[in-house]
Amino acid sequence: MEVEDSEGGNLSFEVLDPAPVGMAVTRGPDHRLLYSNAVYRSQVSGPRRGMPVEEAFATFVLPHYRASMDHVYTTGEPVIRTAQQVGALPGDPAPPERFFTFSLSRVVFGPGEHGVLVMLIDVTEQTVTERRVTAVAEQRRRILRRYESLVRLTADIFWVTSRDGYVSEPSPSWERMTGQRWADYRGQRWLRTVHPDDRAGTIMSWSHAVGQAVEMWEHVYRLRTCDGGYRHFQLRAVPISENGQVVEWVGTSTDIEQQWQDQRRQRLLDRAANATAQLRSLEEMLGALADVIVPELADGCGVYLVTDLTDERHGGAPFVIERLATAARPGLKRLPPYSEEQLPAGNAFVQAVRRRRPLLMTFPAGSPPPQAAPEGTLPWLRLNDANSALILPVVVDGGVPAVVCAVTCGDRPAIGRDAFTLLSRMFDHAHDALSRAIRFQRAQQIALALQYSLLAEPPCLPDLRIVARYRASPSAAEVGGDWYDSFVLPDGVPALVIGDVSGHDLSAAVAMSQLRNMLRALAMDRREPPGEILTRLNVAMESLSGDVTATCVYARVEECDDGGHRLWYASAGHPPPLLVSPEGRARFLVEGVSPLLGVPQAGPRVSQAEPLPPGSTLLLYTDGLVERPGEHLDEGLERLRRLAESVAGEPVDRFCDSVVSGLPTSGLDDIAVIALRVPAEPPPCAPVTEHIPCLRQHSG
């Protein structure tokens, strides 16, 4: 820069006065001040014109300017310094920190005459602010490094997300735990490792935390680890704020699998203990335990009573089991709670009971072995893609009164050792309560065995299918007076009987046995309409000791000339038979009714004929199926009719199981049912009214 003298050497620098920065000009090697503008004077001082630099600026200039000014003056090379901290200005008693950015450049006044042009900007405010921000950022990084080091001692995973909750920084600990790379979990891709059943809940919880900027977020989910399995993790996250705004989230994930398992184990044991402590009957206790097992440990569960009965009724089968209770996780259809099945010697249930040891079977989903479960349960296992079954004999006081079968389905891992151990402990803890119930159940089982010994197995017929069920009252240990019977008459006609002697004690059972034998003898003696058989039975009852009353339905199932079937029946004060068409329409047969047995009867009892359409089902039952205290009998009958219509298409044995287990009974009385299924092929019978006189010709 060249500056010329004007009028005797006075230089004009007024053009620099408006400059928004401090400006000053010196001349000569001792840097005598020639000019300074108002901004410069306000920033530095108010020196007099012509003063040497040492006097003008004292300690403020000497440490910062003099060497640089000498360099510029001598070499002509400009010097620029940014954000330089300076010392005290003249007159400042306790000066604050000051920062300036300045530039020095040589000016030429003439041949051999040089000086220095000074430009000065006060950047104290900007520099202090920037340094504060830098210090805060450095302090924050230092705190985070300390926090991360501390977290590594207590947490398995450390992670950082943006203010919107998206993973924003790589996490080596996450990669070690899950096996994912940064590209696989950044943003929201980390959700792919969360268990599918926990994903929706995790998204909802995390979204709420981010949206509300909660002080701390806590959540538990199952995370897929690098070995392919899932483990429970405790998540905690806190927001990091600046100037009242969330800038990011810092979080940890801690493996709590063992803690979670311990807590769940104790919770299930407590639930099982509470369930058995509050209940009295074995059936209720085992049903409550099934509800504890599902869905925590299994997808489905069945509880079976082991009924050790005589070979006479069951054709040499080792034992009979009765399904008392079932449970299924949401989304799976629950099996009917009641079913009675005979098991062959090779069935897994038989092996588990004989050995008194649990039996665990795993198999391809939906392909259980034929002997893995009772025959009636196998379709459910196939339909729901069962992959494992644990058969656990319930050992109480050295005996096995019941068997529990727990099943896993679909993608759920097969039952493992932990679940097996927990189930065993659950039943061990319930031992005392179960033992009390078993004492009552054993007395009931003896009574049940006696009752079964008095009941005949329905005959096997080439075209008709007959199935019977008997369910003892869960609240009584004594035998009752309910009975059913079925046999083939000398003329080849099948007969069906259902009856109920008043009372629920040994006397009622004795009277029931006598009536059963007397009715058989009368029916086998001659071919008569059912009403006349009941008339003669009523007369024969006069020989019995005591006042005995009973209800009864006696029926003949005859084959028509065209191959169809008709029903001849008579009812002595008994609930009406139910006829269910294969299309699912049911109606009660309310004709052929006379007073109950054991009371005087004037004249013969009536009989009634009814066609049995192909594929139809005839159901005879005792009043324990439909009666409830404080309720009119018609309500129970209507419930039975609706239920029978809904299961009309089931095989007749499942039809009976559904009827016995699907109604809300009082539990105060025994239940006996016997059902007849007519083959579907033959056409309907011709009208039967014209044949009635023909049958009556044989009445004597």
Side-chain angles (χ1 to χ4, degrees), residues 129-396:
T129 300
E130 180 181 348
R131 291 196 175 190
R132 285 177 180 171
V133 171
T134 302
V136 169
E138 179 59 32
Q139 183 182 22
R140 176 175 170 276
R141 284 191 293 270
R142 189 163 54 249
I143 292 173
L144 287 178
R145 285 195 297 269
R146 292 173 181 171
Y147 179 68
E148 184 174 6
S149 299
L150 179 62
V151 163
R152 285 174 179 170
L153 299 176
T154 58
D156 298 285
I157 301 175
F158 178 82
W159 45 270
V160 178
T161 75
S162 65
R163 70 178 67 186
D164 298 324
Y166 292 80
V167 174
S168 57
E169 296 183 13
S171 171
S173 55
W174 176 276
E175 295 173 12
R176 287 193 300 270
M177 183 64 67
T178 66
Q180 283 189 312
R181 296 174 297 178
W182 168 231
D184 297 327
Y185 65 89
R186 67 185 304 174
Q188 288 189 318
R189 298 176 183 174
W190 59 275
L191 285 166
R192 298 173 182 173
T193 60
V194 178
H195 193 285
D197 293 344
D198 299 344
R199 199 168 295 161
T202 300
I203 293 173
M204 182 179 299
S205 178
W206 179 231
S207 298
H208 177 267
V210 172
Q212 300 297 319
V214 298
E215 293 184 0
M216 175 179 284
W217 177 63
E218 292 186 288
H219 186 68
V220 174
Y221 65 11
R222 284 169 290 178
L223 187 68
R224 188 179 66 242
T225 57
C226 56
D227 61 3
Y230 286 95
R231 298 182 67 83
H232 286 82
F233 279 78
Q234 170 76 56
L235 286 85
R236 290 188 175 92
V238 294
I240 304 300
S241 300
E242 292 182 2
N243 301 322
Q245 298 293 323
V246 176
V247 295
E248 64 184 15
W249 290 77
V250 177
T252 64
S253 301
T254 305
D255 187 337
I256 60 166
E257 180 66 24
Q258 188 59 49
Q259 175 186 346
W260 187 89
Q261 293 288 356
D262 293 342
Q263 291 176 347
R264 182 184 71 155
R265 183 180 299 107
Q266 191 58 51
R267 184 177 70 253
L268 293 179
L269 291 174
D270 291 343
R271 284 180 57 194
N274 291 335
T276 53
Q278 297 171 4
L279 301 173
R280 296 185 60 185
S281 74
L282 180 65
E283 179 178 346
E284 290 176 324
M285 288 182 182
L286 294 176
L289 290 173
D291 290 333
V292 174
I293 293 170
V294 176
E296 290 280 359
L297 301 174
D299 296 309
C301 182
V303 181
Y304 301 82
L305 179 68
V306 178
T307 307
D308 189 5
L309 301 176
T310 62
D311 292 346
E312 178 184 356
R313 168 173 159 76
H314 295 290
F319 56 78
V320 172
I321 60 170
E322 293 181 77
R323 188 168 61 226
L324 298 182
T326 60
R329 67 167 169 80
L332 299 183
K333 183 178 180 181
R334 180 184 291 213
L335 279 168
Y338 182 80
S339 175
E340 177 185 310
E341 296 199 46
Q342 303 177 27
L343 299 182
N347 191 276
F349 277 58
V350 179
Q351 299 177 31
V353 171
R354 285 178 174 173
R355 299 173 183 173
R356 286 173 167 72
R357 295 177 58 187
L359 179 61
L360 176 61
M361 294 176 291
T362 59
F363 37 83
S367 300
Q371 300 298 329
E375 185 177 352
T377 305
L378 288 173
W380 189 93
L381 299 180
R382 299 187 187 104
L383 178 65
N384 294 290
D385 291 331
N387 57 49
S388 74
L390 174 64
I391 302 172
L392 182 69
V394 180
V395 181
V396 178

